[in-house]
Amino acid sequence: MTDAVGSIDTPDAEDESQESKKARKGGKRGKKGPLGRLGLFYRQIVAELRKVVWPTRSQLTTYTTVVIIFVVIMIGLVTVIDFGFQEAVKYVFG
């Protein structure tokens, strides 16, 4: 909790530090073997992938086109700059 100045009240800070100092038991992880933990890991992966908002086909096509056009433009820009440096080096060093 903060006061008008924005300082932290001491009792709340002490409560949080005491809770974090308590020794943790294994919880769910401690009770399962390596295969159980691996299964839990993969179940969590699948659960997270279900939350993903996948792009539609038209969005994917648009994004891919934009990326390809950007890469082609950057290749052209680097080529022009490289050619300019090449000509400058030829002019300076003959």
Side-chain angles (χ1 to χ4, degrees), residues 19-91:
E19 290 175 5
S20 63
K21 289 182 181 179
K22 290 181 182 176
R24 288 186 177 177
K25 299 289 181 185
K28 291 183 180 178
R29 281 194 227 156
K31 296 178 183 177
K32 296 184 179 180
L35 291 178
R37 288 191 303 236
L38 189 62
L40 175 65
F41 177 69
Y42 283 115
R43 282 193 303 274
Q44 289 174 344
I45 289 174
V46 170
E48 287 298 321
L49 285 175
R50 288 184 182 164
K51 295 178 189 177
V52 173
V53 178
W54 297 98
T56 63
R57 182 174 289 275
S58 64
Q59 288 174 331
L60 189 62
T61 305
T62 302
Y63 298 156
T64 304
T65 304
V66 167
V67 168
I68 289 173
I69 290 172
F70 177 76
V71 168
V72 168
I73 289 171
M74 292 308 296
I75 288 171
L77 181 66
V78 169
T79 302
V80 168
I81 291 172
D82 184 49
F83 182 72
F85 282 136
Q86 178 184 354
E87 292 301 317
V89 168
K90 281 183 184 178
Y91 178 75

Side-chain angles (χ1 to χ4, degrees), residues 1-3 6-18:
M1 181 176 260
T2 60
D3 59 8
S7 63
I8 298 176
D9 292 339
T10 308
D12 291 339
E14 289 175 2
D15 291 341
E16 291 174 10
S17 63
Q18 289 173 357

